[in-house]
Each structure stands twice: as C-alpha cells, then as structure tokens.
Amino acid sequence: GLYTKVDKNIRKKLSPLGKWLQSYYSTHSKPYPIKIESIQELSGSLHYSKSQFKYILKDEMEVLRSLNFFTSYTISAENLVSVVKGSLYGQIGEAIE
C-alpha cells in the first residue's frame, strides 16, 4: 500500500486538494509551518477566494488527520499551517531503525 511514502488507501479517499496535501507533506519528514497563501498557490487552487480556500483547507486537513496521516495540525492567527505527522509518516530514519 505504500509507494514513496504515499499510502494509496488514504489517497483513494481524498479530494484533489487532499491528494496534493498528502503528496506535499509526504516529502517532508518534519514539516515546517507554511502560509495558507503558499499552499493555495502551490496547489493551483487559485479559483477560490482566500477565505473560501482557508475553509476548504481546514476541511481537508481534518480529513487527513482523521485518516491518521497527521497526528495534529494548527492554523495560526498569522495563517501559518503547522502539522505533526503520525509515526508511520515520520522520518524515514525512524522506519529503518
């Protein structure tokens, strides 16, 4: 079910934005905070207003959290998205040890 740390079983349950988030965060062993505007631009979701995108992003982040891709996530007052990944999706070195 895993190919380059992307779980196909989770992927099947995601929207296009959710799939983008999964792919993006799969490449980061310890993700750093990123602005909502950066996620919107990088994901190509430019047809939404900023407030619409923030609402949709929260929903997608909650789906990923409920599927245990993230242990938790927060969106700060400064619109920075921070995530804590579950142990299955942690550092590659952790899986080898």
Side-chain angles (χ1 to χ4, degrees), residues 29-88:
S29 59
K30 290 189 178 181
Y32 51 87
I34 183 171
K35 290 184 176 185
I36 290 176
E37 293 84 7
S38 297
I39 293 174
Q40 184 175 14
E41 185 177 323
L42 292 169
S43 68
S45 300
L46 301 174
H47 52 281
Y48 297 110
S49 70
K50 289 181 182 182
S51 60
Q52 287 175 318
F53 184 75
K54 184 175 182 177
Y55 180 78
I56 292 166
L57 178 64
K58 284 181 183 180
D59 284 346
E60 294 303 320
M61 297 296 281
E62 185 57 33
V63 169
L64 286 164
R65 190 208 53 77
S66 72
L67 293 170
N68 298 316
F69 185 72
F70 300 137
T71 301
S72 64
Y73 70 93
T74 58
I75 300 175
S76 73
E78 295 80 25
N79 287 328
L80 284 174
V81 179
S82 300
V83 303
V84 177
K85 292 170 65 173
S87 60
L88 177 60

Side-chain angles (χ1 to χ4, degrees), residues 5-51:
K5 307 267 300 168
V6 174
D7 188 326
K8 292 179 186 178
N9 294 320
I10 290 176
R11 196 162 187 80
K12 291 177 189 176
K13 299 175 184 177
L14 300 174
S15 70
L17 177 59
K19 289 176 183 175
W20 186 89
L21 290 166
Q22 183 195 31
S23 295
Y24 176 80
Y25 283 109
S26 291
T27 65
H28 295 79
S29 59
K30 290 189 178 181
Y32 51 87
I34 183 171
K35 290 184 176 185
I36 290 176
E37 293 84 7
S38 297
I39 293 174
Q40 184 175 14
E41 185 177 323
L42 292 169
S43 68
S45 300
L46 301 174
H47 52 281
Y48 297 110
S49 70
K50 289 181 182 182
S51 60

Side-chain angles (χ1 to χ4, degrees), residues 91-97:
Q91 291 186 10
I92 294 171
E94 292 173 3
I96 295 171
E97 294 173 5

